[in-house]
Amino acid sequence: MTTTPVAHHYNVLFLCTGNSARSILAEALLNTLGAGRFTAYSAGSHPGGQVQPIAAELARGLGYDAARLRSKSWDEFTAPDAPRMDFILTVCDSAAGESCPLWPGHPATAHWGVPDPAAVNGDEASRRVAYRDALLCLRRRIELLLALPDEKLRGLAARVELQAIAAATH
């Protein structure tokens, strides 16, 4: 009788300064597409306190539970009872340049920069295109992450793979 190895479960924290759009979309995407193998969280260094309405609409459109959508501080994930992260991914340039807290367990880190759709000025149609583009960019990266076998998601290999995903999708 042959048994199939059980895939490891990974916790991922997506960081952005405001935690109102890109990191929220990444959390919703990974929790929806990677259910069972990945649990995603999002946070901000200076959270805005609310989720951008178009980001919330897109997350709900993915089937993500609207009750889970909230803008929160990365301090929540440094507490002793916080989930231990395997990966920390920054999705905005300002968060990537900030001094991050010391994360327990030394998770693999990478920068997956995505243009800020909330910064787009213009009519509703232009803003929606910016959010759709951010969602599609994040989706491509998350699909590449999901395609990686467990051995590529451990130790130093994980950081290399996470950085390669960003480079491949620019």
Side-chain angles (χ1 to χ4, degrees):
M1 177 184 232
T2 307
T3 59
T4 305
V6 176
H8 185 79
H9 183 271
Y10 301 96
N11 287 327
V12 181
L13 179 58
F14 291 99
L15 295 178
C16 202
T17 304
N19 188 222
S20 67
R22 293 166 286 185
S23 53
I24 295 285
L25 290 172
E27 173 187 344
L29 275 164
L30 186 54
N31 278 328
T32 302
L33 299 174
R37 187 171 176 218
F38 290 86
T39 300
Y41 304 89
S42 68
S45 56
H46 299 90
Q50 67 179 12
V51 175
Q52 291 290 327
I54 297 173
E57 177 186 317
L58 290 171
R60 286 189 307 271
L62 295 167
Y64 196 61
D65 181 6
R68 297 181 68 185
L69 298 172
R70 67 182 181 90
S71 178
K72 56 207 156 295
S73 173
W74 65 15
D75 293 339
E76 288 187 27
F77 298 95
T78 62
D81 61 341
R84 183 179 171 147
M85 295 301 151
D86 296 292
F87 311 120
I88 307 285
L89 299 168
T90 55
V91 293
C92 70
D93 293 337
S94 55
E98 293 185 53
S99 293
C100 289
L102 291 176
W103 305 106
H106 306 290
T109 61
H111 177 59
W112 283 8
V114 176
D116 186 2
V120 171
N121 294 317
D123 62 12
E124 180 79 6
S126 299
R127 293 175 4 90
R128 287 188 174 281
V129 166
Y131 276 89
R132 187 205 67 217
D133 289 349
L135 181 74
L136 291 174
C137 177
L138 289 164
R139 185 180 188 114
R140 280 191 304 272
R141 291 174 181 177
I142 287 168
E143 287 173 344
L144 289 170
L145 173 65
L146 294 171
L148 292 173
D150 278 345
E151 62 269 10
K152 298 271 188 169
L153 293 172
R154 297 204 178 133
L156 185 57
R159 183 177 177 137
V160 170
E161 292 295 334
L162 294 171
Q163 291 171 340
I165 287 171
T169 56
H170 264 212

